[in-house]
Amino acid sequence: EGPNSSIKGRENLPVVHVSHEDAAAYARWAGKRLPTEAEWEYAARCGKGNQTYYWGQELKPQGQWIANIYQGSFPDKNTAEDGFAGIAPVKSFPPNAYGLYDMDGNVWEWCSDLYRPDYYMNSTKKNPTGPTDSYDPEEPGVVKYVQRGGSFLCSDEYCIRYKAGSRGKGEVTSGSNNLGFRCVRDKS
């Protein structure tokens, strides 16, 4: 948020403004990696199959917000009905059935897969690991990676990609205040 900002008081917020290159480098440094898109999707679904949202069919089960998304009229009136007008601290919402927090909303998460809109038409059905090259018909020649989960800026009026199965994409060196990552490790 500028030269006079600080991380003081933000220790429990997700790390943001991280490019794919930096997220992947950090994961390697930590002895981990970024998840594949298929791993991310599997972890978010928790074996529930096809549903509108990763947590079920209702946006607000029992009238409760389950994820940090934009409420109100986008982009000029965020009612912050879920308690957050921007990024929420990690674990502000209940975990999914696998015990994972913030799989949906709050901040987008980088995946290890290069982005291609046609990849799943011809990929293996079991544990696909992503394409070998990137292609976005909207920006041919720009290398992009998959982003998953939506963010606090997603709403029913704009960017509904907090819904199950939705995917985003980002240029390899880009970062923003609603984009982060999570690390995974192979079973030993």
Side-chain angles (χ1 to χ4, degrees):
E1 296 176 352
N4 295 323
S5 64
S6 163
I7 63 167
K8 187 174 181 179
R10 299 174 187 217
E11 295 85 357
N12 293 322
L13 295 179
V15 173
V16 293
H17 288 287
V18 180
S19 70
H20 186 275
E21 294 170 333
D22 289 342
Y26 175 84
R28 281 190 304 277
W29 172 84
K32 300 176 184 181
R33 61 181 174 79
L34 298 178
T36 66
E37 183 176 16
E39 289 170 331
W40 193 99
E41 181 73 12
Y42 182 86
R45 284 197 187 273
C46 295
K48 292 182 181 176
N50 290 332
Q51 298 184 90
T52 303
Y53 309 99
Y54 288 114
W55 57 84
Q57 294 297 97
E58 294 179 55
L59 177 60
K60 291 173 52 182
Q62 286 119 30
Q64 299 297 310
W65 287 102
I66 302 297
N68 182 18
I69 62 171
Y70 195 96
Q71 298 97 45
S73 176
F74 187 86
D76 60 337
K77 188 173 189 318
N78 186 346
T79 63
E81 188 180 317
D82 65 2
F84 304 98
I87 297 174
V90 174
K91 298 184 180 181
S92 293
F93 296 89
N96 70 13
Y98 291 160
L100 301 172
Y101 289 88
D102 305 317
M103 291 298 293
D104 227 3
N106 215 21
V107 299
W108 284 99
E109 297 179 7
W110 286 114
C111 291
S112 63
D113 296 36
L114 289 161
Y115 176 80
R116 283 193 72 91
D118 59 353
Y119 174 67
Y120 291 105
M121 293 173 15
N122 300 309
S123 69
T124 62
K125 298 294 181 216
K126 186 175 181 182
N127 202 19
T129 57
T132 57
D133 64 340
S134 169
Y135 177 70
D136 182 356
E138 294 175 6
E139 293 184 288
V142 176
V143 177
K144 293 186 179 181
Y145 280 84
V146 173
Q147 300 169 347
R148 294 301 301 267
S151 80
F152 67 88
L153 291 174
C154 291
S155 75
D156 285 335
E157 296 177 357
Y158 174 77
C159 176
I160 58 170
R161 290 190 300 268
Y162 57 88
K163 291 187 175 182
S166 298
R167 59 200 307 237
K169 59 194 174 191
E171 191 270 332
V172 69
T173 62
S174 67
S176 67
N177 71 337
N178 66 334
L179 176 58
F181 66 101
R182 75 176 60 225
C183 297
V184 298
R185 183 180 322 183
D186 292 330
K187 283 176 64 173
S188 356

